[in-house]
Amino acid sequence: TKPKEPELPLFFGWFLLPEEEERIKCATMDFLKTLDTLEAFKEHISEFTGEAEKEVDLEQYFQNPLHLHCTTKFCDYGKAEGAKEYAELQVVKESLAKSDELSVTALIVTPRIFGARVALTETQMKLWPEGEDKEGVAPALLPSVEALPMGSRAHVTLGCSAGVEAVQTGLDLLEILALQKEGKEGTQVEMDLGTLSYLSEGRWFLTLREPITADTTFSSFSD
Ligand code: ACK
């Protein structure tokens, strides 16, 4: 009989340590609490509620994901293209169970997701698969995504609205970055944490004054 192939995980990524998870959740929840009280946000409330005048409690609106992490490669137990090749990379094998520090430089809120943008270091980029930024991107958005630096999709999903999957965070982040590059930023509001900008259709981007760092472990995850 042939030796059994090692099974591939659902995905690889950097997982926040439990105490870091709590710290990041608290800091980012504070931002959500403030955001839904801002006049600038209220002006565009219908993009979240479908109706003007109606209020939204963003803390309730987004459901928390189980484990905070930054995905490097979605393998789908081997069904995703390049999954096996990724798992076999020397740099991947060597990095497993190693600690690493992630740097969050921005927060994003859309009617679908709440997320954190991660700025990867050069070393961390070695674990970022080539072509992963464009995975599942709508054809119309592909040219703008291809023009962004590699690793632009790196993020931590902090919450999803009802019926939305976490994969949406990376897609919404890319869309926002593409709009910013085209200079399509609207209203800007100064907040304690940084500068908030509005990018149409309920998309909000907070550039943090100081990056938020988080200790993580690189690992694979299977449900
Ligand atoms: O927030 P995320 O990066 O978005 O973390 C989860 C993780 O894998 C487990 O579901 C991400 N994910 C799901 N489907 C895909 C996909 N097709 N391409 C890239 N990432 C994905 C999801």
Side-chain angles (χ1 to χ4, degrees), residues 23-205:
R23 190 172 55 84
I24 302 290
K25 276 185 191 167
C26 286
T28 57
M29 273 302 167
D30 278 348
F31 162 65
L32 277 194
K33 267 187 231 168
T34 314
L35 180 62
D36 61 24
T37 65
L38 296 181
E39 276 317 310
F41 183 83
K42 286 184 185 166
E43 274 173 37
H44 299 283
I45 200 87
S46 64
E47 290 152 17
F48 281 78
T49 58
E51 296 168 54
E53 307 303 325
K54 211 172 147 188
E55 291 204 357
V56 65
D57 179 350
L58 289 177
E59 270 187 285
Q60 303 287 320
Y61 184 86
F62 294 114
Q63 268 110 63
N64 271 328
L66 277 178
H67 301 288
L68 295 189
H69 67 270
C70 174
T71 307
T72 53
K73 174 69 187 171
F74 180 69
C75 293
D76 202 9
Y77 306 108
K79 282 183 276 196
E81 210 187 303
K84 189 164 177 278
E85 292 75 4
Y86 183 81
E88 282 169 359
L89 289 175
Q90 196 60 25
V91 63
V92 169
K93 291 195 229 165
E94 279 169 4
S95 304
L96 284 172
K98 294 250 167 78
S99 311
D100 207 346
E101 189 186 77
L102 287 186
S103 175
V104 168
T105 55
L107 299 179
I108 63 169
V109 173
T110 76
R112 297 162 294 280
I113 57 85
F114 175 36
R117 181 186 194 191
V118 173
L120 300 177
T121 62
E122 249 174 74
T123 316
Q124 289 166 347
M125 280 298 290
K126 298 202 166 85
L127 287 164
W128 193 258
E130 209 180 324
E132 199 61 13
D133 286 314
K134 350 183 242 193
E135 210 43 56
V137 168
L141 194 66
L142 262 184
S144 345
V145 168
E146 279 165 349
L148 294 171
M150 214 171 125
S152 291
R153 187 173 178 155
H155 66 274
V156 176
T157 298
L158 299 167
C160 293
S161 64
V164 173
E165 304 274 2
V167 62
Q168 194 63 45
T169 312
L171 299 171
D172 281 8
L173 172 59
L174 290 171
E175 206 169 65
I176 288 177
L177 297 177
L179 287 166
Q180 280 179 335
K181 215 173 160 189
E182 289 166 32
K184 294 219 173 103
E185 248 157 330
T187 327
Q188 298 220 334
V189 183
E190 287 306 322
M191 295 178 73
D192 288 344
L193 280 173
T195 309
L196 178 73
S197 31
Y198 176 65
L199 291 122
S200 78
E201 296 176 28
R203 290 175 285 226
W204 296 90
F205 187 90

